[in-house]
Amino acid sequence: MEYDEKLALFRQTRLNPFDRGEEEDGPQGGKTPPLHARPELFPGTRTHSSDRTMDLGLAEDHFSRPMGSIVAPDIEQLKMAIEECKKLILELPEHSERQKDTVVKLIHLRLKLQELKDPEEDEPNLRILLEHRFTKEKSKSVKQTCDKCSAIIWGLIQTWYTCTGCYYRCHSKCMNLITKPCVKSKVSHQSAYELSICPEIGLDRQDYRCAECRTPISLRGVPTEARQCDYTGQYYCSTCHWNDIAIVPARVIHNWEFESRKVCRSSMRYLTLMISRPVLKLKEINPLLFNFVEELVEIRKLRQDILLMKPYFITCKEAMEARLLLQLQERQHFVENDDMYSLQDLIDISSGRLSCSLTEIHTTFAKHIKLDCERCQAKGFVCELCKEGDILFPFDSHTSVCYDCSAVFHRDCYYDNSTTCPRCARMTERKQDEEPVVRVA
């Protein structure tokens, strides 16, 4: 059999969902049978399918032609075609090829409808609203969701923006409906956590309305489900609370609990921006935590040693050229104090990551001072009580430091000696010698 004959036979026994059903010239000058004259691939499924072809928009393939070559149908016609397409999908056999083709066509019709509802406009690349700094996105991904209307952002046909401060995402058409200020401004002005565990005030105190958008809510889900945020303790609607989960700082500080809890969208953004900020002073908020968490005691000792090493690096040319202190640039507060922690610090302490990384940095710093650099070695101390042993440094584990003059001694020598510090005694004697003698006439 010739190739053209095989092709003609194939076309007669296959259904093209975009076929117009009109008689067209075949490959050998003959006529291709119309749609209703072709044999059915699925017996018993012809009900109304040929009659609905025009209504579903299947008579014209709006998506295979170049843009602008046809007049786009109006919105009402597309809505009617979508409804008819849904009915046809239910009538066709499940998992059949015709049902799959109809589903694909339904998706195309919905995309076309969305395109007509939101025509592409020349939108500005930067927009500022309620302290949000929105930038126009160019991604065509459909994985994003609008934070205002909770609908999917069709990046292929819709314009959308992202706030560079709090990463708030929304359609261009939803921007004028935004009522929530940028969370980053709150972080800049307040920079403090809610330290009470789920401070609930009750749905009646909220007047049975969402704490953010004031939409009526109830625990029964009528008209909208009330969802509680574990961070603020307040209730929100499903638009403002997406059941996101996050670690709550109050539970970490009081219970050393790192289980993620459900929080609202605004709390989620706030906690994300605050997670690396050192705003937790544990010895004032919960000093007893150090008695039950050994890892905290270890980290505090390492941080205290690093603060004692810092003066060596500031006055050492080689250390400044090697930029040793920049190894802690992600935790800058570690070289400024030893009592402030960020939530990320506590998370890393619980997992053990911080202990490993900080021990490695501590070893590198100590190696530079005690072995690699002669200038730093020259700034060591000799125990003036026993005058024996190696050079001592204030961050050594077996030493003690005088609180008045910062002299370094062996720990055993310092506590066994009942006299005063020799260096403090010399300094006091020197001051007395320098004082002028007042003679009485």
Side-chain angles (χ1 to χ4, degrees), residues 19-26 30-36:
D19 200 309
R20 302 182 182 183
E22 299 173 356
E23 294 186 357
E24 298 177 355
D25 294 337
K31 298 291 185 178
T32 303
L35 181 62
H36 59 80

Side-chain angles (χ1 to χ4, degrees), residues 301-316 319-320 324-325 327-328 334-336 358-371 373 376-377 379 381 393-397 401:
K301 179 62 172 65
L302 291 174
R303 291 183 63 177
Q304 291 173 349
D305 290 349
I306 289 175
L307 289 178
L308 294 174
M309 297 176 185
K310 181 180 177 181
Y312 289 86
F313 296 144
I314 293 177
T315 57
C316 177
M320 296 297 289
L324 292 179
L325 289 177
Q327 295 185 30
L328 289 170
F334 279 17
V335 295
E336 296 173 355
L358 201 59
T359 301
E360 184 178 351
I361 293 174
H362 182 279
T363 303
T364 303
F365 287 0
K367 181 174 178 293
H368 170 85
I369 295 173
K370 301 175 70 173
L371 300 177
C373 181
C376 293
Q377 292 179 31
K379 298 174 185 176
F381 293 83
F393 295 92
F395 50 84
D396 288 335
S397 58
V401 181

Side-chain angles (χ1 to χ4, degrees), residues 59-76:
E60 292 187 33
D61 183 8
H62 301 299
F63 306 95
S64 61
R65 298 188 180 191
M67 185 70 72
S69 62
I70 60 172
V71 178
D74 58 23
I75 294 178
E76 293 302 325

Side-chain angles (χ1 to χ4, degrees), residues 163-423:
C163 176
T164 57
C166 64
Y167 307 105
Y168 189 98
R169 301 182 183 92
C170 69
H171 296 103
S172 174
K173 64 179 182 179
C174 297
M175 292 193 64
N176 294 331
L177 305 176
I178 296 175
T179 57
K180 190 72 174 178
C182 182
V183 177
K184 189 173 183 180
S185 62
K186 180 182 177 181
V187 172
S188 303
H189 299 153
Q190 183 177 349
S191 294
Y193 285 119
E194 172 60 59
L195 297 180
S196 299
I197 297 178
C198 194
E200 181 182 3
I201 61 174
L203 194 54
D204 57 334
R205 294 282 298 275
Q206 295 183 207
D207 197 23
Y208 294 92
R209 293 182 178 273
C210 173
E212 185 170 330
C213 67
R214 307 305 297 168
T215 300
I217 55 177
S218 70
L219 295 177
R220 296 181 179 179
V222 180
T224 306
E225 177 189 5
R227 298 177 179 178
Q228 188 180 29
C229 173
D230 195 79
Y231 175 69
T232 63
Q234 295 178 314
Y235 291 89
Y236 299 82
C237 64
S238 57
T239 303
C240 301
H241 194 314
W242 295 2
N243 287 330
D244 296 312
I245 57 174
I247 296 176
V248 180
R251 295 185 180 274
V252 173
I253 294 172
H254 296 294
N255 299 338
W256 200 244
E257 177 188 337
F258 293 88
E259 181 182 355
S260 297
R261 303 279 180 159
K262 292 182 179 180
V263 296
C264 66
R265 292 295 293 172
S266 58
S267 297
M268 182 70 180
R269 286 190 289 269
Y270 182 76
L271 293 174
T272 301
L273 293 175
M274 285 285 292
I275 192 169
S276 299
R277 287 180 171 260
V279 296
L280 300 173
K281 199 168 187 177
L282 293 185
K283 68 179 183 181
E284 291 184 0
I285 301 173
N286 186 10
L288 296 178
L289 195 61
F290 290 91
N291 297 337
F292 297 95
V293 183
E294 296 180 358
E295 294 85 353
L296 276 175
V297 178
E298 179 186 356
I299 294 298
R300 182 174 60 180
K301 179 62 172 65
L302 291 174
R303 291 183 63 177
Q304 291 173 349
D305 290 349
I306 289 175
L307 289 178
L308 294 174
M309 297 176 185
K310 181 180 177 181
Y312 289 86
F313 296 144
I314 293 177
T315 57
C316 177
K317 183 178 179 181
E318 295 180 4
M320 296 297 289
E321 291 178 351
R323 299 184 177 183
L324 292 179
L325 289 177
L326 288 182
Q327 295 185 30
L328 289 170
Q329 59 181 346
E330 294 182 358
R331 306 180 196 268
Q332 187 65 31
H333 52 288
F334 279 17
V335 295
E336 296 173 355
N337 55 72
D338 63 346
D339 55 355
M340 300 299 293
Y341 294 84
S342 67
L343 182 59
Q344 187 63 56
D345 293 338
L346 301 182
I347 294 173
D348 292 341
I349 290 174
S350 175
S351 64
R353 290 193 299 267
L354 183 57
S355 178
C356 295
S357 61
L358 201 59
T359 301
E360 184 178 351
I361 293 174
H362 182 279
T363 303
T364 303
F365 287 0
K367 181 174 178 293
H368 170 85
I369 295 173
K370 301 175 70 173
L371 300 177
D372 298 341
C373 181
E374 294 181 358
R375 295 180 181 179
C376 293
Q377 292 179 31
K379 298 174 185 176
F381 293 83
V382 175
C383 180
E384 296 186 35
L385 297 176
C386 67
K387 298 182 181 180
E388 296 178 358
D390 299 330
I391 299 176
L392 305 179
F393 295 92
F395 50 84
D396 288 335
S397 58
H398 60 284
T399 60
S400 294
V401 181
C402 176
Y403 292 104
D404 296 328
C405 65
S406 300
V408 181
F409 307 93
H410 291 114
R411 179 174 299 172
D412 296 337
C413 298
Y414 187 74
Y415 287 108
D416 291 344
N417 182 42
S418 59
T419 60
T420 60
C421 168
R423 188 179 182 186

